[in-house]
Amino acid sequence: MVVAAMAALAGMASAQEQAGQIISNTQSIRPILATNCFPCHGPDENTREADLRLDTAKGATKDLGGHQAIAPGTPYESEILVRILETDPVLKIPPPVSHKTLKPEQVALLLYWIAHCAEYEQHWAFVSPKRPAVPELPSELAGWSDHPVDRFVAQQLKQMGLAPAAPAEPEVLVRRLYLDLIGL
């Protein structure tokens, strides 16, 4: 049963890979683990069970007596996937008493992430922001605006199949400013 389920999940994960999806720990995996796993295996030492910590790479990949909760690059050897797919309620995680369940898409995301080295990213608040390259203005909008913010807006509008509105007359801009300032 577990082998068949893992094979089906591998098919879902390979479909995600073919679609060119990049799985981010911070955006995709951490919310799954935070909701379903961190209550018992998170940063709180008072509620942590089995001396397993899944919120850090060191804790998730440490040797647990011949196996690892997360074995980067080898999802079929990762105890977390084996236990998620387990049918015995005593061994299954999250345990039935927690009333938490993982959707097949979430399990497939975990499988894909573990198969692709299970990289733990630093929290976004601790990562220095990087200035993105300013996109070129589409040729059909040449002369529309030279401001870098407008170039990002124009790029997004083009992707949506839209065109920017014509510039407003000075009288209209003054009226908008007046209405904005007096709160109407």
Side-chain angles (χ1 to χ4, degrees):
M1 168 87 175
V2 172
V3 175
M6 287 189 119
L9 291 172
M12 289 175 71
S14 66
Q16 290 171 337
E17 183 176 3
Q18 290 171 359
Q21 289 181 336
I22 297 172
I23 305 299
S24 164
N25 173 27
T26 306
Q27 293 177 351
S28 301
I29 302 302
R30 190 170 185 86
I32 296 170
L33 295 177
T35 302
N36 298 291
C37 304
F38 289 0
C40 298
H41 303 291
D44 188 2
E45 292 180 16
N46 297 325
T47 61
R48 193 173 311 139
E49 295 182 16
D51 194 30
L52 175 60
R53 189 167 179 183
L54 294 174
D55 64 320
T56 65
K58 184 178 178 182
T61 58
K62 81 176 190 177
D63 184 18
L64 300 171
H67 61 278
Q68 295 172 296
I70 296 176
T74 55
Y76 302 106
E77 295 175 15
S78 298
E79 189 68 19
I80 191 169
L81 286 175
V82 172
R83 300 283 295 273
I84 286 171
L85 297 172
E86 181 63 55
T87 56
D88 183 359
V90 175
L91 298 174
K92 184 169 183 57
I93 59 168
V97 295
S98 72
H99 303 292
K100 297 176 190 263
T101 57
L102 291 168
K103 297 176 184 169
E105 302 83 31
Q106 292 174 318
V107 180
L109 277 174
L110 285 170
L111 174 68
Y112 179 82
W113 176 68
I114 292 171
H116 290 84
C117 297
E119 182 179 336
Y120 275 76
E121 301 162 352
Q122 193 173 19
H123 189 276
W124 65 267
F126 302 112
V127 177
S128 298
K130 294 179 183 156
R131 185 174 299 273
V134 177
E136 291 295 320
L137 199 59
S139 58
E140 61 270 11
L141 297 177
W144 176 64
S145 176
D146 287 332
H147 197 278
V149 172
D150 289 335
R151 291 181 180 204
F152 285 102
V153 170
Q155 180 185 37
Q156 194 68 29
L157 287 173
K158 184 176 180 179
Q159 288 176 355
M160 297 170 131
L162 302 172
E169 296 295 323
E171 298 82 20
V172 173
L173 291 176
V174 170
R175 180 175 181 272
R176 289 178 187 168
L177 176 64
Y178 177 78
L179 293 173
D180 194 36
L181 289 175
I182 63 171
L184 295 177

